[in-house]
Amino acid sequence: MVAEQKLTKKDFTSDQEVRWCPGCGDYAILTAVQKTMPELGIPPHNVVFFSGIGCSGRFPYYMNTYGFHGIHGRAPAFATGLKMMRPELSVWIVTGDGDSMSIGGNHFIHVLRRNVDVKILMFNNRIYGLTKGQYSPTSEQGKKTRSTPYGSLDNPFNPVSVALGAGATFVARAIDVEVTHLTEMVKAAAAHKGAAFVEIYQTCVVFNDGAFENMTDRKSKHDTVLFLEHGKPMVFGKSRDKGIRLRGLTPEVVTIGENGVTEADLLVHDAYSNDPVYSFLLSQILPPVFPTPVGILRSVQLPTYDALNRDQLEKTTAKVGRGDIDTLLRSGELWTVS
Ligand SMILES: Cc1ncc(C[n+]2csc(CCOP(=O)(O)OP(=O)(O)O)c2C)c(N)n1
Ligand code: SF4
């Protein structure tokens, strides 16, 4: 009997030279994914990465798996097609905030609402990197870029709220430099049966440097990031003395030990809650009033589109037999144009 070989990061690393700018957050995400893959126990030949257009679009080249660098915003369509036909494959989508929230917004919401069993990693650098720094749908209002020299007037999208609004069954948020946490999120997304969406805050050092600085700087991050843990009260702050409390449906920041507030008063995170009000409320806990929640916001089980489709196909074939495209095309009213 041949002993099963243990997979390592090397097995998922391609021989391609990585061509992102030095210091780009994409490197940390690539390393996290390459490190996580061996732990999933899926051989590289059963893994496929799809991407759209943007700096993030280069991701599949660097993975020693199957890969497909598609067209702008359309990775969900290709990924859906493959998952429907090859359910045994682990199918991933790597996309940017421009790729998935602008031109690909439509594909993004539908792959989530259908709950196709694919994993989506969105690198959110709040800018168009590849095309040299135009504002994106996640750029903050007032953002000055080459395409908004007097400041952007747009209200930005909150991708996590968009995903929840589309009915996503798994929604998480992570930060490129919080590698251990990011790895956990990638693993949890992989384990989810259904469409899993992970928004990853990613620094574009060239066109949007410092966008997430207050969430990554050692001095400020304890006050600006809330690490969500299922079943645990929402505590944050350097001294772990701040928390989130609910007043009716309104969250508020409180200090433990002040005005009689104890840990027992805080909101306890339920990652598996099926209540859309709770998940959406969580997605709206945002700076500057609140810290940014990272972790699993929602994880619920619903039938996947690909499985439902296979089931329907099997049952219908058993009832009416295998279809034939030529017969179908000639089955209706036909006429000849002369
Ligand atoms: C059909 C089409 N429209 C526009 C473009 C130009 N374009 C290329 S990448 C991009 C935006 C990429 O932004 P994002 O998804 O945030 O990726 P990043 O480069 O920041 O990783 C645009 C508008 C294109 N390549 N194709
Ligand atoms: S332009 Fe920005 S996102 Fe693109 S590779 Fe360079 S640093 Fe990374």
Side-chain angles (χ1 to χ4, degrees):
M1 205 171 90
V2 184
E4 232 178 81
Q5 234 189 331
K6 201 173 171 330
L7 293 166
T8 67
K9 173 174 179 269
K10 224 169 141 195
D11 295 304
F12 289 89
T13 306
S14 81
D15 60 1
Q16 296 298 296
E17 183 197 345
V18 183
R19 297 228 194 127
W20 288 312
C21 307
C24 175
D26 290 0
Y27 285 95
I29 306 173
L30 177 65
T31 304
V33 175
Q34 286 170 336
K35 270 190 183 160
T36 311
M37 282 286 150
E39 293 179 40
L40 304 181
I42 309 167
H45 64 264
N46 276 347
V47 180
V48 189
F49 276 85
F50 287 90
S51 67
I53 303 297
C55 297
S56 64
R58 299 197 60 75
F59 199 92
Y61 298 113
Y62 308 139
M63 295 297 298
N64 188 32
T65 62
Y66 283 100
F68 194 101
H69 189 178
I71 48 176
H72 211 358
R74 269 54 183 168
F78 296 112
T80 300
L82 183 68
K83 190 67 196 181
M84 305 261 288
M85 289 299 110
R86 296 288 306 273
E88 77 281 15
L89 300 179
S90 173
V91 179
W92 295 72
I93 293 170
V94 170
T95 180
D97 43 301
D99 189 61
S100 59
M101 296 279 109
S102 292
I103 197 166
N106 195 22
H107 291 263
F108 177 79
I109 56 174
H110 291 293
V111 76
L112 292 175
R113 111 182 136 78
R114 285 174 166 162
N115 198 29
V116 184
D117 188 17
V118 296
K119 319 297 148 207
I120 307 168
L121 306 178
M122 192 189 92
F123 299 4
N124 184 4
N125 53 21
R126 296 185 176 158
I127 203 83
Y128 289 178
L130 188 76
T131 47
K132 302 198 186 305
Q134 298 84 1
Y135 79 127
S136 94
T138 59
S139 300
E140 66 276 16
Q141 209 170 40
K143 179 98 189 154
K144 285 195 178 153
T145 69
R146 290 171 186 208
S147 55
T148 52
Y150 301 107
S152 142
L153 302 173
D154 296 19
N155 238 333
F157 261 147
N158 171 353
V160 153
S161 294
V162 176
L164 289 166
T169 52
F170 181 99
V171 177
R173 190 188 276 130
I175 304 172
D176 54 4
V177 292
E178 293 286 350
V179 179
T180 310
H181 180 260
L182 170 59
T183 307
E184 277 170 32
M185 293 305 107
V186 174
K187 253 189 257 172
H192 181 72
K193 195 88 195 121
F197 172 62
V198 186
E199 177 189 26
I200 306 168
Y201 286 160
Q202 174 249 321
T203 294
C204 169
V205 283
V206 177
F207 298 108
N208 205 13
D209 200 19
F212 305 105
E213 202 171 5
N214 69 347
M215 279 185 259
T216 54
D217 187 273
R218 271 206 258 157
K219 282 194 204 113
S220 54
K221 69 178 195 177
H222 300 285
D223 292 315
T224 54
V225 181
L226 167 67
F227 283 91
L228 296 170
E229 286 179 80
H230 175 72
K232 299 262 175 73
M234 294 185 194
V235 178
F236 65 101
K238 201 167 176 77
S239 321
R240 308 280 299 158
D241 62 342
K242 301 250 183 293
I244 309 283
R245 181 171 73 175
L246 262 197
R247 262 190 195 278
L249 280 181
T250 310
E252 61 180 5
V253 173
V254 288
T255 305
I256 301 165
E258 271 180 22
N259 302 318
V261 174
T262 69
E263 214 174 89
D265 296 314
L266 304 183
L267 188 55
V268 174
H269 181 45
D270 182 0
Y272 309 113
S273 168
N274 209 358
D275 179 358
V277 176
Y278 171 71
S279 312
F280 198 77
L281 183 141
L282 207 52
S283 77
Q284 291 295 309
I285 291 185
L286 289 170
V289 176
F290 298 100
T292 301
V294 300
I296 301 171
L297 282 86
R298 180 177 205 236
S299 178
V300 298
Q301 286 300 319
L302 281 178
T304 67
Y305 183 77
D306 36 299
L308 288 173
N309 181 266
R310 277 190 300 279
D311 185 50
Q312 187 180 60
L313 207 60
E314 264 170 37
K315 285 187 181 136
T316 311
T317 308
K319 221 195 272 171
V320 298
R322 246 181 103 80
D324 170 52
I325 192 81
D326 196 50
T327 314
L328 177 72
L329 286 175
R330 291 165 204 285
S331 62
E333 208 180 317
L334 296 176
W335 64 94
T336 307
V337 179
S338 55

